[in-house]
Amino acid sequence: MTHESMTTSGSAVDEEELQLLKEAALVYLDQTSQLPLIKQRCEEYIHNKENVSAGVFFFMLTVNPLQIEDPLNDVVLHNPKLAKKIFQQVCLTTIQCLSLLPGDIKSSQVIVNLKITHLPPFQSYHIHPLDLAACRFDSRYYQFNGIVISMTTPTEYSQVAKYRCPVSECVGATDNQYIRLHTAGAKETNTIRRDFHCVYCGSTLIEDVNCRVLGEKVVVEMIESTCFSPENQTCVARYNQSMSVFLRDTLMEDIQIGGSYTVIGMPVKQMTTNAKVSISFEANNIYKTQTPLFSSLAGEIPTSLSDLYRDRVCSPWSFSASLAYLFGADILPPGTFHKLKLIMLLSLVDSMDKTKDTEMADRLHIYVTGKDTLAIGRLLMYGASFVDRSIRHSAGLPLMATVNKDDHGTGACSIDAMETRKLTIEIPKKYSDQSIQHLMMPVKCTVWAYGEKMANKSSVDVFAPLEPSKSSTSLLEECFSLTVSCSSSDRSKDDYAEQCLLHHTLRQAISDEDGDDQFQDAECLLDMQDLKQFLKHVSHIEVKLSVAAKRLIKGYFVASRRVRSSGVHGMPFPQAAVHTLSDLSKAHARLNMRQEVSEQDTVLAIMIYEEIVTERFGFSVLSVQPRPHFRDDNITAYIGPENDAYMQQFHMQLVRFCSSHAPDFDILEAEL
C-alpha cells in the first residue's frame, strides 16, 4: 500500500543510481543544516507520547532545486514522487542509524513532505489557467502568479489512515503494516475506503480509526494579476481565466481574498462521478508577492508638472485646482465636473498610500450622483486607469462577496469576491455543517460608484433642511466617505456644462482643427503618463497633521454636530467626518508636495466636505453653495487670485464658526 516504483523521467532507476541519488540528498540536507532539524523533530515526538503511539511521524524538508546538482535536481523537478521517496529513505536511515525514535521504525511510518522554494526562471515552469483547462501539463511542479478571488471555508481531510488484517494469525495483522497516505490531488475516497484487501490472505482490511490523522484544507480560486490591469477590464468570464488551488494545513494560513500570491504545485486531473474531468492545482508552497502597483517609483517630477507647480507655488490652493482643471480634459471639458475631478485626484493619492494596508485604515470611497451617468462613468473609468489594479463591477452583480456551494466536492461553501474598512459575510444556514457562521474580511480597496440623482426633497424652500429618511439611497450614501453630486442648484451652470460636453464630443468626432482650441490646449498641457508619474511620486510622501490642522478639524466637527443636531429640523452629522477630513487634508498636502498638513489644506478639505453635506441635507451652516461646474470664462474665480481671496474669507468664517459653537476651540488639543 506504500510501495512506489523507482522511475525518473519515465525510465527505471537501478540500485546504483538510486544510491547516488540518496547520497546527493544526504549531502544537500547536511549543507542546508536540516539534519539537526530531523533530530529536533524526533525529540518532539518522544516528548509527546500521543504522537509516538499513533506510529506516524511527519517531517517537512525545505528543498531548493536550484541549489541541487544533477541528477537529483532533475528528479525533484520532474519526478516528485521519486524525489519524495528518496528523501524519505534518507530520513529513515538517519533515524535508524542514530536511534532517534524508539522501536523498530518502518519506512511506511516516516512521512516526508518536500516544500519546494524555487523553480527555474523559465517559461516552461509557469502554468496558465488556459493550459490547465486544456490539459497541457505534465505531472511535475509548476509555478503560478495570481490573485485570490474566492475561497472556501476550511474542511477536514484525512492525512493518514491505518488498516489491519482482521485475521490475527496473518502477517497483515501486525502494527504499521498497512498505512494509507494522502497524495497530491487525491480525494477523500482514495484514502478512506472499505475495499482494501490483505496481500497475504486476501481478507478485507479494517481501519483503525483511532490512528487516523486529520488535516484541514481550503480551495481558492486564483486569477492572473494581468486581468486587473485597465487594458484588460473587458476580459472574458472569470471561470475561463481562474484556476482552483488546493491549500492544505499550514499553507492555508494568512490567505486573504484579494491577496497576490505565488503558488508552486502540481496540476491534478481526475474523473468525477458524472464522468467529467476535474482539473485543479495542488499547492506545495505559497508565498505572498507584491503586486506590480507603483513598482517604479518616480525619481523626479515630470517637467510639465514642476513648471506648473513653480507657477502656482505662491498659492496654497491654486496648484491642486489647476490639476483638477486639466484632469481628464480629453474625457470631459475643463471646468465641467470640476469638484468631482478634484475629489478623484485626492482619492487617487489616498488609495496609493500603502501604509493604510498595514494600519487597516479607511479609504476615501466616493459615491457620485448626477443626471449624466454616462459622462460620470467615463470619468471614473479614466480615473481608474491611473492604478494598475482596478475592477469594474456591473450594477446587477455583488460589489464585495457572495457565498456559494463549493463545486469541488469538499462540502464547504465558497466565498467569492474580487478585493479585500471590514466586511462581515453571513454564512447561510443551508451550510449547517459549517462551524463558521460569520466571516470578517478586511476591505483594502478604494470604492468608486455612481448612480442617478434621486430627489427626495419635497419642500419648495431651498433653505429648509431635508427630512431625515432611511431610504435605500440614504443608506447607500452612509457607506461612502464622500457623496458627490454633479448637479447644480443653478440650472444655467448645468446647461453650460451640457453644452460644453456636446461641443467637446462633436469636436472629437469630426476632428475639426479649425474649431475652438481652448480644450485642445488643456489636453496637450498635461500628459496622462506625466500625471501618473507625479501621483506615484507624491503618494510616497510621508505627511503628518499639524497642530493647527488637528484643531481646525475637531473644531469644525464639534461645532457642526452641535448646530446641525439642534432645532426642529435637527440632522445628524456623519460620525466618520473626522477621519474623512483628515484623509482629505493629508491627500491635499501630498498633492502639493508638503510633508506637514497645513491649515490651508484642512480649509480646502472642510470646504469640500461642507459642500457635500450641504448637497445631502439641504442647508449649510457656513453659507456654502455647491459648485460642481464653473464657466471657462470665469476661471480666475476658481483657480486664480479670486479663488484665493474666497478661500481666505471662508477660512476666517470657519474660525469664527468654530469659536462660536466649540467653546474650547482656542485651547483644543486634538487627538485623532
Side-chain angles (χ1 to χ4, degrees):
M1 191 173 291
T2 58
H3 296 295
E4 298 183 36
S5 60
M6 295 294 184
T7 59
T8 175
S9 301
S11 59
V13 178
D14 56 29
E15 290 298 328
E16 183 178 354
E17 292 176 332
L18 182 60
Q19 186 62 31
L20 293 176
L21 292 173
K22 291 180 182 180
E23 293 176 0
L26 180 61
V27 170
Y28 175 77
L29 293 178
D30 182 46
Q31 292 175 345
T32 56
S33 302
Q34 296 193 69
L35 290 177
L37 297 180
I38 297 176
K39 181 180 179 180
Q40 180 182 352
R41 183 63 172 165
C42 291
E43 292 176 352
E44 294 175 359
Y45 278 120
I46 293 175
H47 286 89
N48 192 336
K49 296 181 179 180
E50 293 183 359
N51 290 333
V52 175
S53 61
V56 180
F57 309 98
F58 291 88
F59 297 90
M60 178 66 71
L61 302 179
T62 303
V63 177
N64 183 358
L66 305 183
Q67 297 178 349
I68 303 177
E69 297 182 355
D70 287 335
L72 181 59
N73 64 343
D74 183 68
V75 175
V76 172
L77 291 172
H78 300 98
N79 198 334
K81 291 184 178 181
L82 177 58
K84 184 176 179 180
K85 190 69 176 180
I86 291 172
F87 280 92
Q88 179 199 33
Q89 293 184 1
V90 171
C91 188
L92 175 63
T93 303
T94 302
I95 295 173
Q96 292 175 340
C97 292
L98 300 179
S99 301
L100 298 179
L101 290 174
D104 184 16
I105 304 300
K106 300 179 181 179
S107 62
S108 59
Q109 297 177 253
V110 178
I111 301 175
V112 174
N113 293 318
L114 305 181
K115 178 177 284 189
I116 308 300
T117 60
H118 298 81
L119 290 181
F122 303 128
Q123 190 64 31
S124 59
Y125 289 94
H126 285 74
I127 195 167
H128 301 278
L130 293 179
D131 297 331
L132 203 66
C135 298
R136 293 193 296 263
F137 54 81
D138 299 322
S139 182
R140 61 176 177 86
Y141 291 118
Y142 291 88
Q143 180 173 298
F144 175 74
N145 303 320
I147 296 171
V148 175
I149 60 174
S150 74
M151 179 172 58
T152 67
T153 52
T155 55
E156 291 184 340
Y157 78 101
S158 299
Q159 290 181 332
V160 178
K162 273 189 179 183
Y163 293 86
R164 302 176 186 271
C165 179
V167 181
S168 58
E169 297 82 5
C170 180
V171 179
T174 58
D175 195 18
N176 301 319
Q177 188 67 36
Y178 296 106
I179 298 179
R180 189 74 177 176
L181 309 178
H182 169 79
T183 57
K187 296 183 178 180
E188 185 71 8
T189 54
N190 294 347
T191 307
I192 306 299
R193 290 165 54 179
R194 297 183 179 180
D195 58 351
F196 294 130
H197 298 280
C198 179
V199 296
Y200 301 102
C201 66
S203 302
T204 302
L205 299 178
I206 300 176
E207 182 192 359
D208 186 353
V209 294
N210 295 325
C211 296
R212 185 187 297 186
V213 180
L214 300 178
E216 283 190 331
K217 69 175 183 297
V218 296
V219 184
V220 300
E221 289 284 333
M222 298 187 67
I223 197 170
E224 291 181 293
S225 304
T226 55
C227 296
F228 294 95
S229 59
E231 59 271 15
N232 289 334
Q233 285 300 294
T234 57
C235 56
V236 296
R238 157 172 96 86
Y239 285 103
N240 289 339
Q241 302 170 332
S242 64
M243 60 190 302
S244 302
V245 180
F246 280 78
L247 303 175
R248 303 182 187 271
D249 305 317
T250 58
L251 296 182
M252 53 185 281
E253 297 176 356
D254 301 325
I255 300 297
Q256 294 182 349
I257 293 179
S260 179
Y261 301 92
T262 296
V263 184
I264 297 176
M266 293 177 56
V268 178
K269 179 174 61 175
Q270 288 185 336
M271 295 296 296
T272 61
T273 55
N274 53 0
K276 292 185 178 180
V277 178
S278 174
I279 302 175
S280 59
F281 196 74
E282 186 78 22
N284 174 273
N285 194 6
I286 184 171
Y287 53 91
K288 194 174 183 62
T289 56
Q290 295 293 332
T291 56
L293 299 178
F294 325 120
S295 55
S296 57
L297 176 61
E300 59 183 19
I301 302 173
T303 304
S304 59
L305 273 302
S306 60
D307 293 343
L308 181 63
Y309 179 78
R310 283 192 295 267
D311 185 63
R312 303 288 195 269
V313 72
C314 58
S315 168
W317 303 288
S318 182
F319 179 67
S320 58
S322 300
L323 289 179
Y325 179 79
L326 301 172
F327 182 74
D330 55 339
I331 305 297
L332 298 177
T336 62
F337 300 89
H338 181 76
K339 180 176 67 176
L340 174 59
K341 293 176 180 179
L342 176 58
I343 293 175
M344 288 175 62
L345 282 172
L346 297 177
S347 180
L348 281 172
V349 174
D350 179 76
S351 67
M352 298 176 185
D353 183 9
K354 308 310 292 182
T355 59
K356 286 196 171 186
D357 290 343
T358 56
E359 297 174 358
M360 293 304 300
D362 288 352
R363 300 282 188 178
L364 284 177
H365 307 299
I366 304 175
Y367 177 58
V368 189
T369 62
K371 295 180 180 179
D372 196 347
T373 55
L374 178 61
I376 295 173
R378 291 179 59 199
L379 183 61
L380 293 180
M381 285 297 296
Y382 172 79
S385 65
F386 282 84
V387 297
D388 296 329
R389 178 173 168 183
S390 61
I391 309 161
R392 182 177 182 180
H393 290 268
S394 301
L397 297 178
L399 179 62
M400 286 299 178
T402 57
V403 180
N404 303 295
K405 190 70 176 178
D406 177 44
D407 55 0
H408 294 89
T410 62
C413 57
S414 175
I415 301 170
D416 300 329
M418 301 298 278
E419 273 284 357
T420 71
R421 241 149 61 171
K422 285 189 175 179
L423 178 70
T424 301
I425 299 175
E426 298 284 343
I427 307 298
K429 291 184 178 180
K430 60 183 178 180
Y431 307 121
S432 57
D433 56 332
Q434 300 302 317
S435 59
I436 302 177
Q437 296 300 323
H438 300 84
L439 185 64
M440 188 72 72
M441 297 176 59
V443 179
K444 297 183 179 180
C445 60
T446 300
V447 181
W448 291 354
Y450 66 96
E452 293 184 3
K453 178 67 175 179
M454 299 180 64
N456 56 352
K457 185 174 181 178
S458 57
S459 175
V460 295
D461 185 4
V462 295
F463 296 101
L466 297 182
E467 294 295 334
S469 64
K470 283 297 181 181
S471 63
S472 58
T473 303
S474 300
L475 294 174
L476 182 62
E477 290 175 350
E478 292 176 0
C479 298
F480 289 84
S481 309
L482 302 168
T483 303
V484 186
S485 175
C486 294
S487 300
S488 175
S489 58
D490 186 354
R491 180 60 190 172
S492 62
K493 293 184 179 180
D494 287 345
D495 292 340
Y496 175 77
E498 292 177 1
Q499 293 175 4
C500 290
L501 182 58
L502 178 61
H503 173 74
H504 178 81
T505 304
L506 291 175
R507 180 173 56 83
Q508 286 188 330
I510 63 178
S511 300
D512 186 5
E513 297 181 357
D514 298 329
D516 190 358
D517 291 331
Q518 61 174 350
F519 300 145
Q520 187 67 31
D521 295 339
E523 296 173 18
C524 298
L525 184 60
L526 184 61
D527 181 69
M528 181 178 178
Q529 294 300 322
D530 288 348
L531 184 57
K532 276 187 177 182
Q533 186 178 2
F534 174 76
L535 293 178
K536 291 178 184 179
H537 180 86
V538 300
S539 64
H540 288 77
I541 299 177
E542 296 184 3
V543 297
K544 62 179 182 179
L545 288 168
S546 63
V547 175
K550 293 180 180 180
R551 185 171 64 96
L552 198 59
I553 290 174
K554 193 167 185 179
Y556 169 74
F557 177 76
V558 173
S560 297
R561 285 181 64 88
R562 288 183 177 179
V563 173
R564 289 186 177 274
S565 61
S566 63
V568 179
H569 299 287
M571 301 296 296
F573 193 71
Q575 294 184 358
V578 173
H579 296 291
T580 302
L581 290 171
S582 300
D583 291 341
L584 283 172
S585 302
K586 290 179 180 180
H588 189 262
R590 285 192 176 97
L591 201 60
N592 287 272
M593 293 179 285
R594 290 191 280 266
Q595 294 183 331
E596 186 178 57
V597 177
S598 65
E599 203 168 1
Q600 288 75 21
D601 295 319
T602 303
V603 168
L604 179 70
I606 294 176
M607 167 69 77
I608 293 174
Y609 200 81
E610 182 66 19
E611 286 191 19
I612 290 174
V613 174
T614 301
E615 185 67 33
R616 181 177 176 184
F617 296 119
F619 73 101
S620 172
V621 296
L622 293 170
S623 303
V624 169
Q625 291 296 324
R627 305 183 297 176
H629 317 284
F630 68 84
R631 300 180 67 92
D632 192 66
D633 56 2
N634 194 24
I635 188 173
T636 58
Y638 295 85
I639 295 180
E642 293 183 29
N643 181 62
D644 291 346
Y646 173 79
M647 294 298 296
Q648 291 170 0
Q649 181 181 2
F650 175 77
H651 187 188
M652 292 187 295
Q653 184 182 1
L654 177 62
V655 172
R656 289 195 297 268
F657 171 72
C658 295
S659 300
S660 300
H661 300 283
D664 54 349
F665 173 70
D666 294 330
I667 58 174
L668 199 56
E669 292 293 337
E671 297 180 1
L672 301 182

